[in-house]
Amino acid sequence: MKKKLVVLSGAGVSAESGIKTFRDAGGLWEGHNVMEVASPEGWRKNPALVLDFYNKRRQQLFEVTPNKAHNIIVELENHFDVTVITQNVDDLHERAGSTNVLHLHGELLKARSVNNHYDIIEWTTDIYEGDLHTDGHQLRPHIVWFGEAVPAIEPAIKIMEKADYLIVIGTSLQVYPAAGLIDFAKPHVTIYYVDPNPTQIPNLRNKLEIFSVLGSEGMEMVKERLLSF
């Protein structure tokens, strides 16, 4: 049986494809305060602004393509049982060919009713005020906003507990509960951390190997390391 490889990915992976990350802009995301466009309070205050913001993010997906880091993660499926747990809301892992992807924070190409967080539908075009779900309630992006529960965290914990190898790539490990997932890796599991600006990880019980480079370069290095075993 193939060893289980878990990849925890963040915005830095998509950044190489041209998708901007809000933390690289002093807390502003495309000129907006994050809480204006990524919180329940922002939605209640100005739903039109929030919808427009995500409409632009969704449109951008059709202008970008997966990069080398995404592709190497796919290549590793030839050697390992790979599961990607991603904080990203884009579909670049899937487009690259990853077959087992869990999105912690939702997906831009899906929408849901404001009345039912579990009634999720595929959605590839813009959403406007007045666009209703079949239940008669307003559609909203299928995105987990700041202050909302993360339904995927429990299955993500179960995946992490079974990892034989763990790659953390392109994440600041500052957003919880996602950042806490590494605590569920078994103590003997080595963590390969790929990020040009890696975060200090306090009280980590696992062996840690840091690759302070961009995702594409770092994934090439990690692949060589893993395949040498």
Side-chain angles (χ1 to χ4, degrees):
M1 290 181 63
K2 293 179 178 178
K3 295 284 189 179
K4 293 187 180 295
L5 169 62
V6 175
V7 180
L8 176 62
S9 74
V13 178
S14 299
E16 283 193 75
S17 291
I19 295 180
K20 294 181 180 179
T21 66
F22 69 83
R23 289 187 179 275
D24 289 339
L28 295 179
W29 200 355
E30 301 291 334
H32 297 286
N33 182 294
V34 172
M35 300 308 289
E36 291 179 353
V37 293
S39 72
E41 293 77 18
W43 171 257
R44 287 191 290 269
K45 180 180 178 181
N46 194 342
L49 173 66
V50 175
L51 290 174
D52 180 67
F53 176 81
Y54 286 101
N55 287 344
K56 289 183 170 64
R57 306 287 77 71
R58 193 179 301 107
Q59 292 163 8
Q60 186 188 28
L61 283 188
F62 301 106
E63 302 169 359
V64 299
T65 57
N67 60 63
K68 186 178 179 181
H70 295 106
N71 295 332
I72 292 174
I73 292 169
V74 176
E75 290 174 25
L76 289 170
E77 291 194 15
N78 295 322
H79 308 277
F80 302 94
D81 178 4
V82 180
T83 301
V84 178
I85 302 173
T86 186
Q87 299 174 72
N88 299 334
V89 297
D90 59 65
D91 65 338
L92 293 179
H93 281 298
E94 288 91 342
R95 267 198 269 165
S98 287
T99 58
N100 196 2
V101 183
L102 176 66
H103 287 267
L104 288 174
H105 297 152
E107 299 178 62
L108 273 173
L109 297 182
K110 292 183 179 178
R112 68 189 195 221
S113 166
V114 296
N115 192 52
N116 185 344
H117 288 186
Y118 300 98
D119 203 345
I120 301 162
I121 59 175
E122 302 290 328
W123 197 274
T124 58
T125 59
D126 291 347
I127 304 174
Y128 297 103
E129 287 189 280
D131 287 340
L132 306 181
H133 195 282
T134 53
D135 67 1
H137 290 86
Q138 173 68 41
L139 283 172
R140 56 159 279 183
H142 176 49
I143 303 293
V144 177
W145 290 326
F146 289 98
E148 292 186 320
V150 183
I153 200 67
E154 290 300 327
I157 288 172
K158 293 179 180 178
I159 293 167
M160 194 66 70
E161 289 174 335
K162 297 177 181 178
D164 295 304
Y165 303 102
L166 173 58
I167 300 171
V168 177
I169 176 170
T171 172
S172 62
L173 293 174
Q174 298 297 304
V175 177
Y176 284 83
L181 283 172
I182 61 173
D183 295 333
F184 292 92
K186 290 174 287 195
H188 69 272
V189 172
T190 299
I191 300 176
Y192 302 94
Y193 185 16
V194 180
D195 195 280
N197 299 294
T199 302
Q200 291 286 339
I201 306 176
N203 305 316
L204 183 66
R205 59 183 180 172
N206 300 72
K207 179 182 177 183
L208 179 67
E209 292 191 30
I210 297 176
F211 302 81
S212 301
V213 293
L214 292 175
S216 55
E217 182 181 354
M219 280 305 304
E220 190 68 57
M221 298 162 69
V222 172
K223 182 181 76 170
E224 291 180 8
R225 185 69 54 86
L226 289 173
L227 297 186
S228 69
F229 298 147

